[in-house]
Amino acid sequence: MSSRSIDHFGGALSDAVRLNVCRNISSNLSSDNNGTEDLLKRIENLLEENAFVEAERRVQADEAVRAFVMGRNRLVQEGEETLKELEESVAQVGDCLRTAKPFLTGLHEEDLTDAEATLKEVRTAETRLEYLKWLELFHDQSDRIRSSLACDSTSDAMAFLQTLMDWCEHFRSSSCIRLRDYLHDVTVYWTTLVCDQVARELPAVLARIGFPRPPSVRNPETNIVDSRSRNEIADIVTLLLRLRLPDYIKPLSPGVDTPFLHELLPLKYFIAPLEKRFRFHFFMSDKTNRLDKPEWYFTQILSWIRDYGDFIDDLFQLSFRGEALRSSKSDFALGLAVLGRSKFLSSLSQLLEDGSLFAHAMDELLTFAKTLRALGYESVQRTFCTILVQPEVFHPWFAAETSLAESRADAFLASPTAWNCQYQEEDGSPEDAKAPECAQQFITMLKGITDRYSLLPSSLPQFDFLSLQLDLVEDFNERLKSHYEANQEDTEQCARIILPTQATATKFVGEVLADMASTPLIVELLSLSDSRSSPECGRKAKSLAVRLTSILDECNRLARESYLTHLRNDTLDSIHGLVREFARQGWKSMPAVTEFLVASMTPAMGELLYVTKTLISSQRDRLLTSLFTRYTNTLMQALDQILLEEVIYDNTFSTGGASQVKFDIVNNFAVVLGRLVHLPHAGLSRTMEACNVLTINRGSAMLLVELFEGGGAAPKADKKQHSDDIRKALGEMNLLLLKPEEVELILHRRSDLDV
């Protein structure tokens, strides 16, 4: 045995092993002297074999070193030769260019065109080669990810996947759209698989903490998530957040609600068990999957949002600590809302076959969206309501809203109580309560439409609904005008009910429309007329703003001018016959008032007063205060003129007749109507002055007659003075409204003056 072999053997073993071997040898030597020689021989053989192996390895190492040195020298030599060849090639290219320059300058245009075409083909081939090169890289990277997943090497798979995402960023602004989309699809596919691999232990952890059993029905003690489970969930969630795709990478699968990879990861794995239950109950089971009960699945989603919202928020508050703008609670609600959207879209074709079912489903969908907003999930509500602007949903919904609004408007006006005021029997009722039932219902319908389309996430479909509302207002005004024209022959009915009610209805609708136009939603829509980003929005906003102003002006004109003018004329027509009957009393032959113990109204005045009071009282209960004030001013002015012309000017009055007409008009008619219309002297001031002229004492009346007759033959200068004297005298007698010639005419109506 050589010393070198022993040294090698000893150097190759640790001290503990060597000590153990020595003990074993010593033990064997002491226990079996007969086998000592054999044992030593075996040991010597082992040491010799070890020495032989070592020698072979040293020879191999020396050969590897010599091969490496030779290879390095060869590579250096080849590099020097290649560099020399490259320098020679460059020199040759320079010589070729110098040689070809005179030839190129003499080329014809056709030759240059052929050269350019050839160059273009070369570049196209290079581009295709580069294209194929990237495809090969995509496939190679996919193979690496597949191999990593097969070997359960999640970290390697994530690293390879990150390379794909880096390439996505590289191709983000590329003009190779198809290659970019293919890369996105490949990235989405492998992201899904890697995420599933990362989250493979998550279901077991969720089962351990009792999810998805609602926290509200579990034992309060089991609602507390232990630190171990919380840490495991946090680790998995952290990895999943690293795998979340950028916003610009979207799966090329239109019509499919798959936002999980982009917005809801890692909540996807918490929503999955609930989604499984949802699909079982509302996609397969006959008992709960009913077209006429969309409220069932919307209610189930809202129930889950309420039950799990706080639990999810508490569980993810640490995992999302690096996501300052993220809300796990809102993301969870969005994932559940997407389930409701997918269910609605899956049953849409069947719903469209039955208008009533579709209308009911849309009502429930809109109610669900409003509830989300009421619960504080505004961002979820906006995302969910993108379903409303999808053409397959928006067009039938808008058609249904239009048809329903028109049919409801017909029903409002055809109702037997359409023209009744809701609180007409109550005194001091608010102004809005004077609007007829049809107008109240119409406004409620308009506000309901606004409430629904306010949920729309974009402006263009909102313009369509605003245009619909303006169409409905115009149609409502036309219906009111048609109703009056159909009943205008019945002047008493028009004066008592139809015209005052229609004036109030039109004014009320116009005021409410003006209030709606000042709401933030409408103001924002109409302000888009100055928008430069969307010319179509600008045109529509400008057109609707002009229409809105025109409709408001039309409502105001109809209420304040057209209807009130017809109302005044119909009211005067209704009482004109009674005024004539009152004018035909025997005023010339009436005895003096002194012959009666108590003065009393004439029967004709009693009937005129009753009818007029009844009409105006009915109109006051139905007209808005601003309209009633405007109306009574014009009505009493016209009535004042009629009384003057048909009662005062066309009759002759004895002393008793003058006193009686003054008693009827001043003490009764004007007093009663004055309280009703809130006008001084009921607006009959000129008629009351005429009654005063009829009843001033005879001496004063004669002086006035003499004053009027005294300027007949005077020169022009004296006539002006005479006219001033008459006006002064009339002023002293408090006759300020009647013209001098009117006073003179009234004096001639007195039979006691003999003029």
Side-chain angles (χ1 to χ4, degrees):
M1 181 184 299
S2 66
S3 59
R4 181 181 177 186
S5 300
I6 297 173
D7 292 340
H8 174 74
F9 180 76
L13 300 176
S14 65
D15 293 340
V17 175
R18 294 173 63 190
L19 181 60
N20 190 24
V21 171
C22 290
R23 285 177 180 174
N24 290 334
I25 294 172
S26 177
S27 173
N28 291 330
L29 289 174
S30 61
S31 60
D32 187 7
N33 293 327
N34 296 328
T36 301
E37 186 177 351
D38 295 336
L39 179 61
L40 291 175
K41 188 175 182 179
R42 287 198 302 271
I43 292 173
E44 184 178 359
N45 292 334
L46 288 173
L47 292 175
E48 289 178 355
E49 183 179 354
N50 187 34
F52 178 75
V53 171
E54 182 183 7
E56 283 186 348
R57 289 182 178 176
R58 286 184 178 277
V59 171
Q60 291 174 359
D62 293 339
E63 290 179 354
V65 169
R66 286 195 299 272
F68 173 75
V69 172
M70 292 177 63
R72 183 187 62 183
N73 294 335
R74 186 175 64 255
L75 290 174
V76 171
Q77 184 179 0
E78 289 177 355
E80 292 176 351
E81 292 176 355
T82 302
L83 183 61
K84 185 177 180 180
E85 291 176 357
L86 182 61
E87 291 176 352
E88 293 176 355
S89 298
V90 171
Q92 290 176 1
V93 170
D95 294 339
C96 290
L97 288 175
R98 285 191 294 272
T99 304
K101 184 176 180 181
F103 174 74
L104 292 175
T105 55
L107 284 176
H108 296 290
E109 185 176 353
E110 295 80 2
D111 298 328
L112 291 174
T113 303
D114 294 340
E116 290 176 354
T118 303
L119 182 60
K120 185 176 180 181
E121 290 178 359
V122 171
R123 289 174 178 172
T124 302
E126 291 176 346
T127 302
R128 291 176 179 175
L129 185 61
E130 185 73 12
Y131 199 96
L132 294 174
K133 170 191 168 185
W134 277 108
L135 284 177
E136 185 177 4
L137 288 175
F138 298 163
H139 293 163
D140 291 344
Q141 201 69 3
S142 297
D143 290 338
R144 294 187 184 98
I145 298 175
R146 183 184 296 105
S147 300
S148 300
L149 293 178
C151 298
D152 202 16
S153 179
T154 305
S155 58
D156 291 343
M158 292 179 64
F160 295 142
L161 182 62
Q162 184 60 48
T163 302
L164 283 180
M165 292 185 183
D166 294 340
W167 289 343
C168 289
E169 179 65 27
H170 174 75
F171 278 93
R172 188 172 181 181
S173 58
S174 173
S175 59
C176 299
I177 299 176
R178 296 181 183 276
L179 184 63
R180 182 188 62 195
D181 292 343
Y182 174 72
L183 175 59
H184 287 183
D185 277 352
V186 170
T187 305
V188 169
Y189 173 76
W190 287 115
T191 300
T192 304
L193 295 183
V194 174
C195 287
D196 291 341
Q197 181 76 3
V198 170
R200 65 186 182 278
E201 297 179 0
L202 191 57
V205 181
L206 295 180
R208 190 165 66 239
I209 66 176
F211 189 87
R213 192 178 182 191
S216 58
V217 301
R218 296 208 305 262
N219 188 331
E221 296 180 357
T222 62
N223 288 338
I224 301 175
V225 182
D226 60 278
S227 58
R228 174 193 166 197
S229 300
R230 189 180 292 272
N231 291 335
E232 290 179 2
I233 292 174
D235 292 341
I236 295 174
V237 167
T238 301
L239 291 177
L240 291 175
L241 289 176
R242 288 172 53 190
L243 292 171
R244 193 161 56 198
L245 291 172
D247 293 336
Y248 60 85
I249 299 180
K250 300 293 183 182
L252 300 178
S253 49
V256 179
D257 290 313
T258 55
F260 302 127
L261 292 175
H262 313 286
E263 299 178 2
L264 304 183
L265 189 72
L267 286 169
K268 162 187 176 180
Y269 300 97
F270 288 78
I271 296 173
L274 298 178
E275 180 182 5
K276 183 177 180 181
R277 293 184 180 184
F278 185 86
R279 292 192 176 279
F280 172 77
H281 285 292
F282 302 111
F283 282 85
M284 296 189 301
S285 176
D286 292 335
K287 294 182 180 179
T288 52
N289 184 16
R290 292 177 52 178
L291 280 177
D292 61 333
K293 295 295 182 181
E295 59 270 25
W296 285 358
Y297 61 83
F298 284 128
T299 302
Q300 178 63 76
I301 291 172
L302 291 173
S303 176
W304 281 339
I305 290 175
R306 293 188 182 98
D307 283 344
Y308 296 104
D310 294 335
F311 174 75
I312 292 292
D313 194 42
D314 174 69
L315 191 62
F316 277 77
Q317 61 182 349
L318 295 178
S319 301
F320 278 82
R321 60 185 178 272
E323 302 271 323
L325 301 179
R326 302 292 298 184
S327 169
S328 57
K329 193 174 181 179
S330 295
D331 284 351
F332 181 77
L334 175 60
L336 295 176
V338 166
L339 296 179
R341 183 168 65 182
S342 63
K343 168 59 182 173
F344 179 85
L345 291 175
S346 68
S347 57
L348 181 61
S349 58
Q350 294 175 284
L351 292 173
L352 291 176
E353 296 175 359
D354 189 321
S356 60
L357 288 179
F358 176 75
H360 176 60
M362 286 302 304
D363 286 341
E364 292 300 327
L365 185 146
L366 295 170
T367 302
F368 173 75
K370 294 175 193 174
T371 307
L372 286 177
R373 185 168 58 184
L375 292 175
Y377 297 101
E378 290 85 358
S379 61
V380 178
Q381 176 255 312
R382 287 193 295 270
T383 304
F384 173 78
C385 285
T386 55
I387 186 177
L388 297 175
V389 297
Q390 295 182 15
E392 64 269 22
V393 176
F394 179 76
H395 294 314
W397 175 38
F398 184 76
E401 287 282 356
T402 303
S403 176
L404 179 62
E406 293 174 351
S407 62
R408 291 181 68 186
D410 291 335
F412 297 157
L413 294 172
S415 172
T417 58
W419 308 108
N420 292 347
C421 300
Q422 191 171 1
Y423 304 104
Q424 62 179 355
E425 70 280 357
E426 297 184 8
D427 295 333
S429 59
E431 286 289 280
D432 290 352
K434 293 182 178 180
E437 182 182 287
C438 61
Q440 294 276 10
Q441 293 174 335
F442 180 75
I443 289 300
T444 301
M445 180 182 71
L446 283 186
K447 291 182 176 179
I449 294 175
T450 303
D451 189 41
R452 289 193 288 278
Y453 77 74
S454 65
L455 298 170
L456 290 169
S458 56
S459 301
L460 284 176
Q462 289 179 332
F463 283 132
D464 292 337
F465 274 99
L466 179 56
S467 178
L468 171 62
Q469 288 177 306
L470 297 182
D471 291 340
L472 292 173
V473 173
E474 288 180 328
D475 182 66
F476 185 75
N477 287 337
E478 290 298 324
R479 290 169 185 265
L480 293 185
K481 289 192 290 186
S482 299
H483 182 266
Y484 166 68
E485 292 170 358
N487 296 274
Q488 62 182 343
E489 299 299 328
D490 189 349
T491 56
E492 182 181 355
Q493 181 74 0
C494 288
R496 188 169 62 87
I497 296 177
I498 296 177
L499 283 171
T501 305
Q502 291 188 346
T504 293
T506 305
K507 179 69 172 176
F508 178 66
V509 170
E511 290 178 348
V512 174
L513 184 61
D515 292 339
M516 290 171 57
S518 62
T519 58
L521 173 64
I522 306 301
V523 170
E524 182 179 358
L525 283 177
L526 298 183
S527 65
L528 294 176
S529 58
D530 299 327
S531 174
R532 298 179 181 178
S533 58
S534 175
E536 185 177 2
C537 284
R539 288 193 299 270
K540 286 193 173 184
K542 187 174 182 179
S543 174
L544 289 175
V546 172
R547 279 192 65 195
L548 177 61
T549 302
S550 175
I551 291 173
L552 291 176
D553 292 342
E554 178 66 9
C555 288
N556 193 55
R557 185 194 68 80
L558 285 174
R560 293 169 61 87
E561 297 178 15
S562 180
Y563 287 137
L564 291 189
T565 300
H566 289 309
L567 180 60
R568 181 197 62 195
N569 295 338
D570 287 357
T571 301
L572 293 176
D573 288 345
S574 299
I575 65 175
H576 211 153
L578 298 175
V579 172
R580 291 194 182 99
E581 182 64 26
F582 175 68
R584 286 197 292 266
Q585 303 299 306
W587 307 111
K588 184 177 181 179
S589 58
M590 279 189 181
V593 179
T594 55
E595 297 183 11
F596 300 96
L597 294 176
V598 179
S600 61
M601 274 192 305
T602 58
M605 172 51 70
E607 186 175 359
L608 173 62
L609 178 58
Y610 173 78
V611 172
T612 305
K613 177 186 175 183
T614 302
L615 273 175
I616 296 179
S617 295
S618 176
Q619 294 162 354
R620 183 188 63 177
D621 292 339
R622 294 176 178 275
L623 283 171
L624 296 175
T625 301
S626 59
L627 295 178
F628 181 72
T629 301
R630 183 183 182 90
Y631 160 68
T632 50
N633 283 332
T634 59
L635 174 68
M636 300 316 290
Q637 288 177 6
L639 186 57
D640 189 20
Q641 186 66 28
I642 289 174
L643 290 174
L644 271 177
E645 292 178 354
E646 300 198 9
V647 177
I648 305 298
Y649 295 165
D650 289 350
N651 284 290
T652 302
F653 298 88
S654 64
T655 303
S659 300
Q660 183 63 48
V661 77
K662 181 177 181 180
F663 178 79
D664 286 346
I665 294 177
V666 176
N667 295 353
N668 291 281
F669 195 73
V671 172
V672 174
L673 294 185
R675 297 194 194 103
L676 195 61
V677 300
H678 302 293
L679 290 173
H681 312 300
L684 304 175
S685 300
R686 297 176 71 241
T687 301
M688 293 180 68
E689 279 195 6
C691 291
N692 291 335
V693 172
L694 289 175
T695 55
I696 58 175
N697 62 68
R698 189 170 182 275
S700 298
M702 290 300 296
L703 289 176
L704 281 176
V705 171
E706 292 176 0
L707 183 61
F708 279 117
E709 293 177 348
K716 289 185 178 180
D718 293 337
K719 282 186 177 181
K720 184 177 183 305
Q721 181 62 39
H722 181 257
S723 177
D724 293 340
D725 292 341
I726 291 175
R727 289 192 177 88
K728 183 178 179 181
L730 294 177
E732 292 174 352
M733 300 179 68
N734 204 27
L735 300 175
L736 306 175
L737 301 177
L738 292 173
K739 297 177 182 179
E741 56 270 23
E742 291 177 326
V743 174
E744 184 178 9
L745 176 61
I746 294 169
L747 289 173
H748 282 76
R749 300 296 95 193
R750 293 180 56 160
S751 61
D752 61 331
L753 298 182
D754 298 329
V755 293

